[in-house]
Amino acid sequence: MNNDLMKNLNKEQLQAVQHKDGPLLIVAGAGTGKTTVITQRIAYLIEQEMAKPEEILALTFTEKAAGEMEERVDRLLPFGYVDLWISTFHSFGEKLLHVHGLDIGLQNDFKLLNEFEQYLLVKNNLDKFDLDYYKPMGNPTKFIKALIKHFSRCKDEDISPAVYLEYASGLKENIDSMLGGIKKRLKTEGKKSKVLDISNFQNSDGEFNKEMAEQEILRINEVANAYHTYQQLLLDNSALDFGDLINYALRLFRERPVILEKYRHQFKYILLDEFQDTNLAQYELIKLLASPKNNLVVVGDDDQSVYKFRGASVSNILQFKKDFLKAKELVLVNNYRNKQDILNLSYEFIQQNNPDRLEVKLSTSKKKLDKKLKSQTGKKGTIKVIEGSDLQDEVRSVVEEISDIKIKNKNSSWKDFAILVRANNSASEFCSALDEAGFPYQFLSSRGLYSQPVILNVISYLKLLDNYHDSIAMYRILNMPIFDFAYQELVNFNYASNKKAWSIYTVLNDANGKFGKEVQGKINKVLNLTNKHTVLARDKNISEVFLAFLNDSGYLKHLSLMEEGQSIENANLLNKFLKRIKIFEAGSDDKSVKAFLRELNDEIGAGEQGTMPANIESGPDTIKIMTIHASKGLEFKHVFISNMVDKRFPTMERKESILIPEALIKETLPEGDVHLQEERRLFYVAVTRAKESLYFSWSRDYGGARDKKPSRFLIESGLVVDEKTEKKNQKKDKNILLKQKTQILIEEKSCINIPQFFSYSQLSAFSKCPYQYRFAYILKIPSTGKYAFSFGKTMHSTLQKTFELVQSRRASKQEDLFGEDKKNKSDNPKVNLDEMIDFYEKSWIDEWYQSERQKDEYKQKGKDSIKEFYKKHKDNWPKAEMLEKGFHFKITVDNKLYTIRGAIDRVDSVGNKIKIIDYKTGKPKEKLTFGEKEQLLLYQLAASQIFDKEVEGLSFYYFDNNSEIEFLGTEKELEKIQDKIIGTIRDINKCEFPPKPGPLCAFCDFKEICEFKKG
């Protein structure tokens, strides 16, 4: 292990990193370096050869956290590696089920449904649910979302439909005995069950109301049957939801002990980050996997458990010590983020949640658990309450404070500031005020993709293709800057439309120069574009029409020429919308614009706004506005917690529409007010985001009939004594023009963050044209697909499935050789052509072909190639050791380690050596140039780090005529490719992306938007 890195660890962190075997609970407060501990422990286990990378399982809560953890581990490891099992719980479950789903009767090519797809599944099959209580006549779909959420919570609690049905039917069958005071006990997977609490059905005189109880039992049975029906519908459609990923993984391990033992043997060490955010089912999965060695390290902080609405169970962290009596315990209290007075405020406040806290639960007469954090950054920070006369004054005061801090601290950046809101809808006033002030900002919302201006423009255009006479959509399109209509011109179109009761499209189509020659030119541009894409929409998938609009209209070019931060943000939004389109295409036979809009309208009608995961890295230097939930895991120098008033923070409790019967709940529920405790923990998280200064803002007037009271949290924190406390801040001039201050603020242009990871494609793109690299990897502009890529993916997938089958049957044959069947010693398995053709048909991707004729030609061409491949290999299948194998290898550039990532199509075992194969769909070359060898030379370079075996040969396998070109890189060639990689990374680090126009422009993905293209 790097000694310098180990020196940076404090005593408790070092003990955690070097912990040997057995269970360990690490209680890690905010800013105490918990991720550092986990990542350095992984690196330590690998470097000390206590485990290989693939023998360590590290799980966390979000994709963002998993990605950050993997990057940090990668930076710590000085050498390359193949498999690193760092992921979220759901990704881990999905990976298990794709491999072993068939072992419990699941299709391993299942589709994973998002929330809207779950909603559609239920809505389209509502007649199968036999609902009464939850199907009101006036609005039969009213409770669909509530039911789906309830099923999800059941899965979080490890409650199967069978258990729910057993409980419900038991109530129904035994109501008479219940009423007689006889309480039936039901066994639910090892936990004593309770029965229906009959005290809930007593009238005002204390008498029992039989009719109320019977109605409740009927309701519970209706829910239980609906849960069973929903789960069966998922199975019938080869689909799973996110809860299934954990529950079926649990079932896999419970019912298939051989598979459980396989993974117990593989994972020598297990680490869990954000343990307080796990739900009961996730915890059960890990307990199964860790047993019996229990080399399990969990890291968490009960005071930061804020995801109860997602099923997180704070009781898990309280339960851990009971489940693992011999578990060691470490507490990290040295804080490297916040000033001490901010920590003092947070610690004194969170004790309001006692006794339902770890600090109390794990303290004994002999040993007290002390979670008070100790700042390593200094004692004095800034804590201030901002009170406005009304909401507008509160918002202006916050922006004014930001302006003052920025002026006083000339070295500060906009990204040092964060405004935290309790709910997304509280952010709009701050966005408007920052806009008015001219301050750069980002509103990081996880929802609302469909309401973003750039996406509204795209949706409007798609609506126009579906219906020319949608005047609202047409008006929005005409307002886009790429069409350059003046305000008065738009007024004229509207006037003519209203006067004749025509659609705006009819007005434009009938113009014939009525609005002037210059205007007619702009009208023709719109009409020609819509006519062209209407024809395209008849035959092409929605994704092709979407990208055609972006390119043909000039909109993509317009967005790419904006300020870089804004370009990145807009490209990010377009990529998210394209991802939504791809999800639609993957699940629909009809991939047309009309079908997509129909589904999108259903989605919006169901209350969905489009997921928009926050990207904190996008936008080089901006003030961040986000919810407190979204801020978890982040830190800022200056934090403003807004709208600190009664009923806004803490919020009013919103109980789940359908509660899980208490008899079925397995977790240990806290004794206190669960909602208030969660809101306190959320406040604790908000406070501990602030490194140097912390501001709370509130006002008495939010537009309602009554004045607001300050939040009880301000009072509990001692920041506001009572409601009559005098204002600590003088009222600001409401007409202050913050733009005047903007002029004297120092603006800094930051260089883009250069990635730690590179791929061959990245390096190749930069070598060909740095400006192309900027489009693809900095701005991440969506690009039009190519039919060659569709064909290539089809062929790759077919061969991968074929060789997986070969591997499987070869393994079975080897087992037979050691059993009774010793006569047949050949290890060449039997695979027939029909199986390969079936793989081909199922793998076929029919996107981006220029015509049906071309598509048919390529489909037949691929089928012929598969037949030839089969004929060539059927009697002697290559011994494929690895398929589509991802790898990481390290290269040093100017004393800094960088990682090159990639995936090798196939690695064959040839005696004690290996052969690396890359598939090609083009025509074979008679002789390869160095440039054409580069990709495989890079793989050979990587192999020297990541594989134990020597590389015997490199091969390009051409599908066109089933031929191979084999070679092996010489020392000189390997040295040359290494020098080229180093030189390219150095050039990328300069943050300069000059264009290289030339013959290759004709093949560039971004030729339509590049102002430097040649030809």
Side-chain angles (χ1 to χ4, degrees):
M1 188 75 177
N2 188 314
N3 288 330
D4 291 336
L5 290 174
M6 296 292 274
K7 285 179 182 176
N8 291 332
L9 300 176
N10 62 43
K11 178 184 174 183
E12 291 76 20
Q13 288 176 329
L14 188 61
Q15 287 176 348
V17 168
Q18 295 182 332
H19 173 72
K20 298 297 181 185
D21 298 327
L24 170 66
L25 170 63
I26 303 173
V27 181
T32 57
K34 65 179 180 60
T35 306
T36 297
V37 166
I38 292 175
T39 53
Q40 294 204 190
R41 175 166 172 76
I42 294 171
Y44 175 80
L45 292 171
I46 294 169
E47 286 200 354
Q48 295 298 309
E49 298 185 352
M50 296 168 67
K52 296 176 183 177
E54 63 270 23
E55 293 175 335
I56 301 169
L57 175 64
L59 297 175
T60 188
F61 192 58
T62 65
E63 294 290 352
K64 178 181 178 295
E68 180 188 347
M69 195 185 298
E70 183 175 355
E71 284 191 25
R72 290 173 71 166
V73 171
D74 181 85
R75 289 198 295 268
L76 290 171
L77 293 175
F79 45 79
Y81 54 91
V82 178
D83 292 313
L84 202 57
W85 287 69
I86 297 177
S87 73
T88 63
F89 271 95
H90 289 117
S91 294
F92 175 62
E94 187 173 10
K95 193 171 183 177
L96 285 176
L97 295 176
H98 274 308
V99 177
H100 300 291
L102 290 173
D103 293 286
I104 51 172
L106 295 177
Q107 293 292 328
N108 52 17
D109 59 348
F110 58 82
K111 180 185 177 186
L112 188 60
L113 302 188
N114 59 31
E115 289 180 17
F116 170 64
E117 289 167 323
Q118 293 171 259
Y119 175 89
L120 270 189
L121 181 69
V122 176
K123 180 186 174 187
N124 294 338
N125 295 277
L126 201 56
D127 57 321
K128 297 178 182 177
F129 280 81
D130 194 23
L131 297 175
D132 178 32
Y133 190 97
Y134 289 107
K135 190 180 179 182
M137 292 184 64
N139 185 9
T141 62
K142 178 179 179 179
F143 290 104
I144 290 179
K145 281 192 167 185
L147 286 165
I148 291 170
K149 184 177 181 181
H150 182 69
F151 304 153
S152 175
R153 288 288 295 112
C154 288
K155 292 175 184 181
D156 293 340
E157 286 286 331
D158 190 21
I159 302 167
S160 67
V163 168
Y164 210 139
L165 280 170
E166 184 185 359
Y167 167 75
S169 61
L171 294 177
K172 194 173 183 180
E173 291 170 7
N174 293 279
I175 185 168
D176 291 332
S177 59
M178 282 174 56
L179 301 184
I182 301 172
K183 295 188 175 183
K184 175 180 169 60
R185 293 195 175 277
L186 186 71
K187 293 180 180 179
T188 54
E189 297 184 5
K191 178 182 185 290
K192 287 184 178 179
S193 70
K194 306 165 190 175
V195 291
L196 200 64
D197 186 355
I198 60 175
S199 64
N200 291 330
F201 308 106
Q202 293 174 334
N203 59 27
S204 56
D205 298 325
E207 295 177 352
F208 183 78
N209 188 317
K210 179 180 178 181
E211 185 180 352
M212 287 173 62
E214 287 176 332
Q215 287 179 355
E216 176 64 1
I217 290 171
L218 285 174
R219 183 193 69 81
I220 290 173
N221 272 270
E222 182 174 310
V223 174
N225 281 295
Y227 184 20
H228 172 76
T229 302
Y230 169 74
Q231 204 60 29
Q232 191 59 50
L233 271 174
L234 287 172
L235 293 173
D236 292 344
N237 287 273
S238 296
L240 303 182
D241 62 25
F242 279 93
D244 288 330
L245 297 176
I246 305 303
N247 286 72
Y248 280 125
L250 254 177
R251 181 176 163 186
L252 175 72
F253 285 163
R254 285 168 174 164
E255 296 182 5
R256 300 291 179 262
V258 173
I259 294 174
L260 172 59
E261 197 56 42
K262 172 185 182 296
Y263 285 99
R264 280 178 172 175
H265 179 74
Q266 177 179 339
F267 298 124
K268 293 181 178 178
Y269 295 92
I270 301 175
L271 300 95
L272 299 188
D273 189 18
E274 303 288 4
F275 183 52
Q276 75 280 350
D277 292 330
T278 57
N279 60 45
L280 186 136
Q282 291 165 340
Y283 183 36
E284 289 297 318
L285 181 70
I286 289 306
K287 281 196 293 185
L288 261 180
L289 194 55
S291 180
K293 293 182 179 178
N294 293 325
N295 289 331
L296 174 62
V297 174
V298 300
V299 186
D301 180 11
D302 59 310
D303 292 330
Q304 296 187 75
S305 178
V306 294
Y307 290 114
K308 181 68 179 173
F309 68 96
R310 291 182 183 169
S313 173
V314 71
S315 69
N316 284 348
I317 199 167
L318 299 171
Q319 184 68 28
F320 184 82
K321 289 285 282 186
K322 296 178 183 178
D323 292 334
F324 300 95
L325 297 174
K326 295 182 179 179
K328 292 183 180 179
E329 181 185 300
L330 283 170
V331 184
L332 305 183
V333 293
N334 287 337
N335 173 283
Y336 300 93
R337 177 194 298 162
N338 317 91
K339 298 297 183 184
Q340 188 63 53
D341 48 3
I342 293 174
L343 295 177
N344 291 343
L345 171 70
S346 65
Y347 180 72
E348 289 162 12
F349 169 81
I350 200 60
Q351 290 186 81
Q352 304 283 334
N353 274 356
N354 289 342
D356 290 317
R357 291 179 59 245
L358 207 60
E359 194 172 38
V360 176
K361 297 286 186 182
L362 295 187
S363 291
T364 64
S365 56
K366 296 181 179 180
K367 182 181 177 182
K368 184 178 184 298
L369 179 68
D370 186 0
K371 290 183 61 184
K372 186 170 185 179
L373 301 178
K374 302 171 185 177
S375 175
Q376 308 299 302
T377 65
K379 294 183 178 180
K380 190 66 177 172
T382 300
I383 301 175
K384 186 176 180 181
V385 176
I386 298 172
E387 181 184 346
S389 57
D390 56 23
L391 176 58
Q392 288 69 36
D393 188 40
E394 174 191 344
V395 171
R396 275 192 296 268
S397 299
V398 168
V399 178
E400 179 77 8
E401 192 74 49
I402 291 173
S403 176
D404 290 344
I405 296 170
K406 190 76 166 64
I407 291 172
K408 290 174 185 175
N409 300 278
K410 297 193 182 294
N411 294 325
S412 67
S413 301
W414 293 114
K415 62 185 175 185
D416 293 333
F417 298 88
I419 299 173
L420 305 185
V421 294
R422 178 61 185 85
N424 280 322
N425 56 14
S426 300
S428 57
E429 290 86 0
F430 290 97
C431 293
S432 298
L434 290 170
D435 263 333
E436 184 181 344
F439 294 172
Y441 72 91
Q442 276 179 282
F443 174 35
L444 300 173
S445 170
S446 61
R447 300 278 176 181
L449 176 64
Y450 305 146
S451 62
Q452 297 299 308
V454 66
I455 303 303
L456 279 172
N457 289 339
V458 172
I459 293 173
S460 294
Y461 189 77
L462 295 174
K463 286 181 176 179
L464 203 58
L465 298 183
D466 185 49
N467 177 12
Y468 282 165
H469 301 290
D470 186 333
S471 289
I472 295 174
M474 176 62 90
Y475 187 77
R476 184 170 188 93
I477 293 303
L478 297 179
N479 268 283
M480 291 174 68
I482 53 174
F483 296 116
D484 198 30
F485 286 103
Y487 172 73
Q488 188 57 49
E489 291 163 358
L490 297 176
V491 170
N492 293 340
F493 298 155
N494 265 339
Y495 176 77
S497 171
N498 292 328
K499 182 179 180 182
K500 295 193 175 185
W502 286 356
S503 67
I504 296 179
Y505 170 79
T506 304
V507 170
L508 298 182
N509 208 38
D510 187 62
N512 293 324
K514 294 176 185 176
F515 298 100
K517 185 177 179 181
E518 183 181 345
V519 175
Q520 187 63 45
K522 291 186 274 189
I523 290 173
N524 290 344
K525 180 182 177 181
V526 174
L527 294 179
N528 291 339
L529 196 71
T530 52
N531 290 337
K532 175 183 177 181
H533 292 154
T534 301
V535 173
L536 193 70
R538 290 173 191 157
D539 302 316
K540 298 296 184 182
N541 295 350
I542 170 67
S543 58
E544 297 182 60
V545 178
F546 164 74
L547 289 167
F549 162 65
L550 293 181
N551 284 292
D552 297 346
S553 66
Y555 193 39
L556 201 55
K557 183 174 183 177
H558 166 76
L559 296 175
S560 71
L561 292 174
M562 298 174 77
E563 184 272 324
E564 189 145 283
Q566 192 61 49
S567 287
I568 292 172
E569 183 69 16
N570 285 326
N572 185 36
L573 293 171
L574 289 172
N575 280 314
K576 286 182 171 65
F577 192 65
L578 181 56
K579 183 178 180 181
R580 172 66 185 90
I581 288 172
K582 288 293 186 183
I583 290 171
F584 160 77
E585 289 181 340
S588 177
D589 293 329
D590 184 354
K591 298 174 172 53
S592 66
V593 170
K594 183 181 285 292
F596 174 74
L597 288 174
R598 188 164 55 242
E599 182 171 294
L600 188 66
N601 288 334
D602 282 343
E603 185 176 0
I604 294 170
E608 296 295 331
Q609 304 167 16
T611 55
M612 195 170 64
N615 183 4
I616 193 73
E617 283 78 24
S618 67
D621 190 13
T622 56
I623 298 166
K624 302 299 186 289
I625 306 174
M626 68 186 81
T627 64
I628 300 170
H629 279 103
S631 75
K632 193 167 182 290
L634 304 175
E635 56 185 49
F636 305 90
K637 283 186 179 179
H638 316 289
V639 170
F640 294 78
I641 306 174
S642 64
N643 298 171
M644 290 295 303
V645 293
D646 184 42
K647 294 183 177 60
R648 286 204 174 194
F649 195 16
T651 61
M652 296 286 288
E653 182 178 9
R654 291 183 181 179
K655 291 190 175 179
E656 294 176 11
S657 301
I658 308 173
L659 295 173
I660 297 175
E662 188 177 338
L664 297 176
I665 295 177
K666 300 174 184 178
E667 64 178 284
T668 305
L669 299 175
E671 297 171 4
D673 185 327
V674 175
H675 173 71
L676 183 58
Q677 288 180 358
E678 175 109 347
E679 290 288 293
R680 284 200 185 103
R681 292 194 294 269
L682 196 58
F683 182 78
Y684 178 88
V685 165
V687 168
T688 52
R689 300 311 95 195
K691 296 164 72 175
E692 296 179 5
S693 56
L694 177 63
Y695 299 84
F696 303 93
S697 71
W698 73 288
S699 67
R700 296 182 182 277
D701 183 2
Y702 284 81
R706 297 181 181 179
D707 281 353
K708 290 287 186 182
K709 297 178 181 178
S711 166
R712 64 180 289 169
F713 290 171
L714 291 178
I715 297 170
E716 289 177 356
S717 302
L719 296 166
V720 172
V721 177
D722 55 42
E723 296 179 29
K724 297 180 181 179
T725 302
E726 294 183 2
K727 297 178 183 179
K728 295 184 179 180
N729 302 293
Q730 292 186 347
K731 189 175 178 180
K732 300 281 193 298
D733 179 4
K734 292 187 178 184
N735 296 315
I736 188 167
L737 296 176
L738 289 173
K739 285 186 178 180
Q740 295 174 357
K741 292 197 172 187
T742 309
Q743 297 172 1
I744 62 172
L745 296 177
I746 299 173
E747 300 294 340
E748 300 173 356
K749 184 169 177 67
S750 324
C751 179
I752 18 174
N753 295 321
I754 299 302
Q756 292 292 321
F757 297 97
F758 292 96
S759 66
Y760 170 75
S761 299
Q762 274 178 277
L763 299 172
S764 177
F766 188 88
S767 296
K768 290 174 185 174
C769 176
Y771 203 59
Q772 178 195 36
Y773 176 91
R774 173 180 173 268
F775 280 132
Y777 297 101
I778 301 301
L779 301 183
K780 297 180 180 176
I781 298 292
S783 61
T784 304
K786 294 182 173 66
Y787 65 83
F789 291 165
S790 297
F791 182 67
K793 286 180 182 177
T794 299
M795 298 299 288
H796 276 67
S797 178
T798 302
L799 263 65
Q800 182 181 354
K801 291 173 182 175
T802 299
F803 276 103
E804 283 173 352
L805 184 62
V806 170
Q807 284 179 329
S808 172
R809 289 182 180 170
R810 181 171 278 140
S812 299
K813 180 71 73 175
Q814 289 296 330
E815 288 176 10
D816 289 343
L817 289 174
F818 291 102
E820 295 180 3
D821 182 16
K822 297 180 181 180
K823 293 179 181 179
N824 182 6
K825 295 187 178 181
S826 168
D827 66 349
N828 192 59
K830 179 70 174 176
V831 175
N832 62 57
L833 179 59
D834 288 342
E835 289 174 313
M836 278 197 77
I837 296 298
D838 184 52
F839 288 147
Y840 178 74
E841 293 288 349
K842 289 179 178 177
S843 300
W844 177 254
I845 300 170
D846 65 352
E847 298 173 354
W848 303 109
Y849 290 93
Q850 295 170 352
S851 65
E852 284 296 322
R853 180 179 177 181
Q854 186 192 46
K855 187 192 301 182
D856 292 341
E857 287 175 353
Y858 265 84
K859 191 164 188 180
Q860 186 58 48
K861 177 183 176 182
K863 194 173 290 186
D864 291 341
S865 182
I866 292 298
K867 290 176 182 177
E868 286 299 314
F869 187 93
Y870 177 78
K871 184 178 177 181
K872 182 175 180 178
H873 296 288
K874 65 184 178 70
D875 296 323
N876 188 22
W877 290 103
K879 294 182 179 178
E881 195 170 301
M882 295 176 232
L883 301 167
E884 298 293 333
K885 196 65 175 177
F887 67 83
H888 299 65
F889 90 97
K890 301 302 183 73
I891 194 163
T892 303
V893 182
D894 299 328
N895 297 318
K896 185 176 180 181
L897 273 180
Y898 289 87
T899 299
I900 312 296
R901 295 197 289 199
I904 301 172
D905 292 342
R906 203 174 89 219
V907 178
D908 287 353
S909 179
V910 184
N912 294 323
K913 298 181 181 181
I914 58 172
K915 176 181 172 184
I916 295 174
I917 297 98
D918 188 71
Y919 299 133
K920 295 293 181 187
T921 53
K923 294 183 178 180
K925 312 281 184 177
E926 289 185 11
K927 188 176 180 181
L928 298 175
T929 64
F930 175 80
E932 290 164 339
K933 290 181 180 180
E934 279 185 354
Q935 184 176 2
L936 281 181
L937 290 174
L938 187 150
Y939 291 173
Q940 185 179 343
L941 203 62
S944 63
Q945 275 192 25
I946 60 179
F947 297 132
D948 295 332
K949 296 180 180 180
E950 182 184 342
V951 178
E952 181 191 73
L954 308 172
S955 167
F956 284 121
Y957 190 98
Y958 295 91
F959 293 127
D960 200 61
N961 66 351
N962 278 283
S963 66
E964 279 186 275
I965 294 183
E966 292 189 55
F967 62 96
L968 187 65
T970 64
E971 283 190 27
K972 187 175 180 180
E973 286 177 320
L974 294 176
E975 186 178 329
K976 186 176 178 180
I977 188 66
Q978 181 164 310
D979 289 343
K980 184 170 183 179
I981 292 170
I982 291 170
T984 304
I985 292 174
R986 278 184 181 145
D987 288 341
I988 292 173
N989 277 327
K990 293 175 183 176
C991 296
E992 297 172 359
F993 306 99
K996 283 187 182 178
L1000 291 177
C1001 288
F1003 307 100
C1004 179
D1005 290 337
F1006 308 102
K1007 60 180 182 290
E1008 300 298 331
I1009 64 172
C1010 179
E1011 64 271 39
F1012 301 106
K1013 67 181 177 185
K1014 187 174 182 179

